[in-house]
Amino acid sequence: MSALDLAVIGGSGLYSFPGLENTARHTLHTPYGPASGDVVQGDFAGMRVAFLARHGEGHNLPPHRVNYRANLWALHQLGARRVIGVNAVGGIRHDMGPQAIVVPDQLIDYTHGRYTSYCDAEGAEVKHIDFSEPYTASLRQQLLAAAHTAGIAVIDGGCYGATQGPRLETRAEIARMKRDGCDLVGMTGMPEAALARELSLDYACLALVANFAAGCGDEAEISIEEIFAHLAAATAQVPRLLAALPKS
């Protein structure tokens, strides 16, 4: 089994992929510098899977310092065609509370100062990608069907608002995002999704809600300890969900 069936980019709380067997590590050099770390490739549930920890295996990279271009290029270089981005997020919508799992279908980009395109490289072809639907519809449906097969509750659809980080947002910022139509807030959804589109990769997001965003829950203050506890509970379901995905 040599073909790569799936690539997974792990977010906060997912620094290795449980159940990956017969693994090999790849340190890849890209035209855009180093990726966040080694890509670990192995067998999982009858698939050949590549895994990359977005923040590094020791969570040493804040969201605005992640080399998104190198990460996507490295996975593409290994032969990835389907990429699942696992993202820790805050919930804005009332039904997207801690430990919820969401497969969003839209996003709004509030980030700044990041390398957002491969077109930034000198001499590169300028591509005006169609980004009206930022996530690949067929891969979103595969995730939803896999969750149903695995008996895992997920929410279909929602708008992911990508903020700069690494700080959490103010109540006023979340109120603005809510007015804009955002249902979730995270720090790593962009430019990852757009870069995947530029490389013609199928890409979808599996958003794990770690906490209610500022002003959306009952908490006076968001506890980092509670965030990681909720995140661990949601993350524990990811391997079982992905195991139910069809092979590419």
Side-chain angles (χ1 to χ4, degrees), residues 38-127:
D38 290 349
V39 179
V40 182
Q41 197 168 344
D43 300 325
F44 175 75
M47 296 183 288
R48 191 67 177 166
V49 174
F51 176 81
L52 175 62
R54 186 186 289 113
H55 297 283
E57 293 179 359
H59 198 102
N60 56 306
L61 294 169
H64 64 295
R65 296 295 299 275
V66 171
N67 192 339
Y68 296 94
R69 292 194 300 180
N71 287 352
L72 271 298
W73 189 271
L75 295 174
H76 176 68
Q77 188 176 335
L78 279 174
R81 293 294 175 266
R82 295 188 301 172
V83 179
I84 302 294
V86 181
N87 298 80
V89 299
I92 297 176
R93 209 168 81 189
H94 68 90
D95 60 335
M96 295 183 179
Q99 302 185 27
I101 300 177
V102 186
V103 183
D105 61 344
Q106 276 297 329
L107 63 79
I108 298 176
D109 187 8
Y110 299 94
T111 65
H112 53 85
R114 303 183 183 189
Y115 288 108
T116 60
S117 171
Y118 292 107
C119 302
D120 290 336
E122 187 173 347
E125 177 190 356
V126 177
K127 292 184 178 180

Side-chain angles (χ1 to χ4, degrees), residues 54-55 62-64 66 68 87-90 111 114 160-169 185-191:
R54 186 186 289 113
H55 297 283
H64 64 295
V66 171
Y68 296 94
N87 298 80
V89 299
T111 65
R114 303 183 183 189
Y160 179 123
T163 59
Q164 183 70 357
R167 67 168 177 84
L168 299 179
E169 301 74 29
V185 56
M187 303 173 188
T188 55
M190 284 291 286

Side-chain angles (χ1 to χ4, degrees), residues 157-181:
C159 182
Y160 179 123
T163 59
Q164 183 70 357
R167 67 168 177 84
L168 299 179
E169 301 74 29
T170 67
R171 288 174 180 262
E173 288 169 332
I174 294 298
R176 179 189 69 163
M177 294 177 72
K178 188 173 183 179
R179 291 193 298 271
D180 287 349

